């Protein structure tokens, strides 16, 4: 990729001939052997899946001298990649960029930024990491009501005691969200209860309770229900608040609201890339991996063969066999669980629980605009939208990719929108997004945006709309009059932790799992979760092979040191069947 900092060699030139983002090395029928037949015994690894989890695993393994081949059925980067808008380029300009959804890199992400620093990028002292830029504010838009513009960044007022925590967080919520003080203080106390809970209570009690039940949303104000119950869950996990695990949502609240000084964060609370994801991150990453010796093969893995307590081979849709010493299944949960044969489940029966994990839809649509928009300098959440919409206006952050250099030259901004609820009827057609044609989806989303943004001033004008692009993972099934989604998202439902597997079990010594469904500390279906799970899988390979190579770094989520004595106290209270010390009516 132009602008990448790496040496120019014959191998680099040959690799550069591969189209950007495409999977290289498609192989005809026969045995597919990872990387090199001369690789040291026990060091050949087949990574099945080329999304963030697969690329992370390949990166960590290649740096430690393993021979790695990544098998990807569609495109490297998975849901994180950008997608060219077909036919949009004119007069020598490249095509416009579409996205599966806008990218969000919270400051509490640690694994992903660590990887990004190790990906060279021309002019950047810290590699791709320097392509991250902070969003200074967020907008919570209400239909037929005043919107809230919330400044982001380190809070100036910290706290040292539980009472101060309640007062500080409650005051901030009441002021910024224009919420009744009693509701704000109630929510602050629920957050305090979670933050002061021991691990045993988090896993044994809070994981089995929905967020809606935990915060008592049914007894609170409409503002409380919409902002702190419904919007919070759909923003984070595309889940309904009556399904989402309290442990998962509570963990995120601990990072966003319980860490006012951003202690132990990698950077500002809200960050995004300064250009299209593929140009700013994925292309430089795959180029680096090729230079490290990683090979990429376009293949759809359909099965795993078992023999002697090991995976003997993987098989592809084309009938080829993939042979390796170790296999990392780095596919999404809905794909990975189709590989678990009776033979595999006999050895690892806990994998059967994956069949009960829930996936739902959270997919993006981009609206290309003829004029820049001034909605907000950051993300916007459309609180009353039936489809739980969120957006980011990209041009204000894309200093590397001016919109006028793309497409036909008349596009000056892109409003990238995530649709998090595909099951609720909309306001135009009275149908859920799953039952709308692509054109109906575009019109419906535009109408819901305008209903929120134009009720006080004219922020989104029809005359400014140039065109739109819906993620190609959404396809219309005309026969059944509904959409099909190739890229659903794992939902952390109440009780789902017990159904999620560890990365490795000795019963199948050479099979390792990586993906956001694997048990991780971040515990959320995110790129960060994928990265953490991949590092864990690599560490397990190093352990199994007896390697003395340095282990991959693993980071822990922030927990307020001021509450540690109360978490220790809660260990005994939970063991005795008593509630958390602060779990009392207020």
């Amino acid at each position: 990729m132009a602008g990448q900092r790496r040496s120019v060699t014959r191998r680099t030139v040959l690799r550069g001939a591969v189209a950007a983002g495409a999977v290289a090395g498609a192989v005809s029928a026969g045995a597919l052997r990872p990387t090199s037949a001369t690789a040291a015994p026990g060091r050949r690894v087949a990574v099945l899946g080329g999304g963030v989890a697969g690329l992370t695993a390949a990166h960590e393994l290649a740096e430690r001298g393993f021979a790695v081949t990544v098998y990807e059925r569609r495109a490297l980067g998975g849901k994180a990649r950008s997608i060219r808008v077909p036919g949009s380029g004119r007069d020598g300009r490249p095509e416009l960029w579409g996205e599966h959804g806008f990218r969000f890199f919270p400051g509490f992400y640690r694994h992903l930024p660590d990887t990004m620093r190790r990906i060279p990028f021309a002019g950047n002292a810290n590699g791709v990491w320097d392509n991250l830029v902070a969003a200074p504010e967020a907008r919570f838009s209400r239909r037929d009501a005043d919107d809230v513009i919330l400044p982001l960044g380190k809070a100036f007022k910290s706290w040292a005691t539980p009472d101060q925590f309640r007062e500080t967080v409650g005051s901030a919520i009441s002021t910024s969200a224009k919420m009744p003080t009693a509701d704000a203080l109630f929510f602050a106390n629920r957050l305090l209860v979670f933050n002061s809970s021991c691990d045993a209570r988090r896993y044994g009690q809070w994981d089995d309770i929905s967020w809606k039940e935990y915060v008592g949303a049914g007894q609170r104000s409409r503002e409380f229900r919409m902002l702190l119950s419904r919007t919070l869950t759909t923003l984070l996990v595309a889940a309904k608040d009556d399904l989402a695990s309290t442990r998962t949502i509570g963990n995120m609240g601990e990072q966003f609201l319980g860490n006012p000084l951003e202690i132990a964060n990698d950077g500002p609370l809200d960050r995004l890339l300064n250009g299209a994801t593929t140009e700013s991150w994925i292309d430089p990453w795959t180029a680096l991996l090729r230079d490290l010796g990683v090979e990429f093969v376009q293949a759809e893995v359909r099965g795993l063969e078992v023999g002697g307590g090991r995976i003997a081979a993987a098989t592809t849709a084309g009938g080829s066999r993939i042979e390796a010493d170790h296999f990392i299944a780095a596919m999404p949960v809905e794909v990975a669980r189709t590989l678990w044969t009776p033979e595999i489940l006999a050895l690892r029966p806990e994998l059967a629980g994956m069949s009960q994990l829930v996936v739902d839809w959270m997919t993006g649509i981009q609206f290309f605009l003829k004029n820049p928009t001034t909605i907000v300098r950051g993300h916007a959440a459309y609180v009353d939208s039936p489809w739980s919409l969120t957006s980011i206006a990209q041009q204000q952050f894309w200093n590397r990719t001016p919109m006028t250099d793309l497409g036909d030259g008349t596009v000056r901004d892109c409003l990238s929108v995530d649709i998090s609820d595909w099951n609720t009827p909309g306001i135009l057609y009275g149908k859920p997004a799953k039952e709308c044609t692509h054109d109906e989806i575009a019109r419906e989303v535009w109408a819901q945006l305008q209903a929120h943004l134009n009720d006080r001033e004219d922020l989104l004008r029809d005359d400014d709309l140039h065109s739109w692009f819906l993620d190609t993972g959404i396809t219309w099934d005309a026969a059944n009059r509904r959409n099909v989604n190739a890229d659903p998202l794992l939902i952390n439902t109440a009780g789902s932790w017990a159904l999620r597997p560890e990365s490795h079990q000795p019963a199948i010594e050479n099979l390792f799992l990586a993906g956001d469904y694997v048990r991780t500390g971040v515990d959320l279906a995110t790129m960060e979760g994928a990265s953490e799970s991949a590092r864990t899988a690599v560490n397990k390979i190093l352990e199994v092979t007896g390697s003395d190579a340095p282990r991959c770094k693993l980071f822990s989520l922030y927990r307020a040191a001021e509450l540690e004595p109360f978490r220790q106290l809660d260990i005994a209270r939970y063991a005795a069947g008593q509630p958390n010390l602060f779990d009392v009516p207020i």
Side-chain angles (χ1 to χ4, degrees), residues 64-97:
R64 290 160 175 79
F66 283 79
V68 184
T69 300
V70 176
Y71 298 87
E72 167 57 39
R73 65 189 175 111
R74 286 197 298 172
L76 297 176
K79 290 192 284 287
R81 76 191 190 282
S82 307
I83 310 165
R84 288 289 189 185
V85 180
S88 61
R90 297 286 188 278
D91 302 323
R93 297 182 191 85
E95 293 170 317
L96 294 163
W97 282 114

Side-chain angles (χ1 to χ4, degrees), residues 320-338:
S320 298
R321 297 179 77 251
I322 298 170
E323 299 175 356
D325 300 308
H326 310 284
F327 294 83
I328 299 181
M331 303 94 96
V333 61
E334 72 277 3
V335 178
R337 62 191 177 192
T338 66

Side-chain angles (χ1 to χ4, degrees), residues 157-165 192 195-196 254 258-261 263 558-568 582:
K157 185 178 180 181
S158 187
W159 54 272
T161 68
D163 284 342
Q164 290 178 356
F165 177 92
L192 174 62
N195 289 8
S196 61
E254 195 168 25
N259 188 7
L261 298 181
I263 298 169
Y558 163 83
R559 290 189 183 178
E562 296 87 346
L563 294 179
E564 184 57 29
F566 299 98
R567 286 190 285 269
Q568 292 299 316
F582 304 106

Side-chain angles (χ1 to χ4, degrees), residues 133-441:
V133 293
E137 59 188 19
R139 183 180 191 128
F140 293 86
S141 184
R142 303 298 304 270
R143 183 175 182 178
D144 299 323
D146 292 337
D147 293 359
V148 172
I149 305 293
L150 183 65
L152 301 179
K154 292 183 180 180
F156 291 101
K157 185 178 180 181
S158 187
W159 54 272
T161 68
D163 284 342
Q164 290 178 356
F165 177 92
R166 275 190 292 251
E167 293 171 4
T168 300
V169 175
S171 176
I173 292 174
S174 177
T175 301
S176 61
K178 301 178 181 179
M179 184 176 296
T181 301
D183 277 354
L185 288 174
F186 175 82
F187 180 80
N189 191 71
R190 297 312 290 162
L191 189 60
L192 174 62
V193 169
F194 184 88
N195 289 8
S196 61
S197 291
C198 65
D199 280 334
R201 191 183 298 279
R202 294 187 186 206
Y203 288 96
Q205 182 177 1
W206 301 142
D207 188 63
D208 292 330
I209 296 176
S210 74
W211 182 249
K212 183 177 181 180
E213 179 183 354
Y214 177 77
V215 298
Q219 289 73 50
R220 314 311 300 186
S221 67
R222 184 176 187 275
E223 288 77 10
F224 184 102
R225 295 195 303 273
M226 295 301 293
L227 286 171
L228 299 179
S229 190
R230 179 179 183 266
T231 300
L232 191 61
T233 52
T234 54
L235 275 174
L236 291 175
V237 295
K240 288 181 167 45
D241 54 359
D242 59 350
L243 297 177
S245 162
T246 289
R247 187 178 56 81
T248 297
I249 305 302
N251 280 340
M252 297 303 99
E254 195 168 25
Q255 308 310 306
F256 283 113
L257 299 175
N259 188 7
L261 298 181
E262 300 176 6
I263 298 169
N265 272 18
D266 177 79
L269 179 64
D270 186 358
R271 299 175 296 182
L272 53 154
L273 288 166
N274 64 358
T277 311
T278 288
E279 288 188 324
S280 302
W281 174 27
I282 302 300
D283 275 355
W285 198 7
T286 54
L288 169 66
L289 296 186
R290 289 187 176 101
D291 280 346
L292 289 173
V294 174
E295 293 186 358
F296 297 100
V297 173
Q298 185 172 10
E300 181 179 356
V301 175
R302 289 283 186 86
L304 296 173
E305 298 177 6
V306 181
R310 294 173 56 84
I311 301 299
T315 56
T316 71
S320 298
R321 297 179 77 251
I322 298 170
E323 299 175 356
D325 300 308
H326 310 284
F327 294 83
I328 299 181
M331 303 94 96
V333 61
E334 72 277 3
V335 178
R337 62 191 177 192
T338 66
L339 303 180
W340 309 148
T341 62
E343 293 80 9
I344 290 176
L345 292 177
L347 295 169
R348 289 196 60 176
E350 82 282 1
L351 295 181
M354 288 174 56
S355 65
Q356 300 178 57
L357 292 175
V358 176
V359 295
D360 209 335
W361 297 17
M362 186 177 187
T363 307
I365 183 172
Q366 286 76 50
F367 293 98
F368 299 104
L369 307 176
K370 300 173 187 176
N371 289 296
T373 181
T374 57
I375 294 171
V376 67
R377 296 179 300 159
H379 290 93
Y382 303 89
V383 177
D384 305 300
S385 57
W387 290 2
S388 296
L389 306 178
T390 49
S391 75
I392 188 81
Q394 292 178 326
Q395 183 56 55
Q396 61 187 317
F397 300 104
W398 281 22
N399 55 45
R400 293 191 53 261
T401 312
M403 293 288 176
T404 52
D405 291 349
L406 305 173
D408 62 7
T410 67
V411 173
R412 295 183 178 275
D413 208 344
C414 173
L415 188 62
S416 185
V417 183
D418 276 0
I419 307 170
S420 296
D421 187 335
W422 288 73
N423 301 303
T424 299
I427 64 176
L428 277 187
Y429 302 103
K431 297 187 294 185
K434 285 181 178 178
E435 298 176 10
C436 290
T437 66
H438 292 188
D439 186 66
E440 288 173 339
I441 289 174

Side-chain angles (χ1 to χ4, degrees), residues 434-438 475-484:
K434 285 181 178 178
E435 298 176 10
C436 290
T437 66
H438 292 188
T475 55
W476 177 249
D477 181 352
N480 293 305
R481 301 294 298 171
R482 62 188 299 110
N483 288 294
V484 177

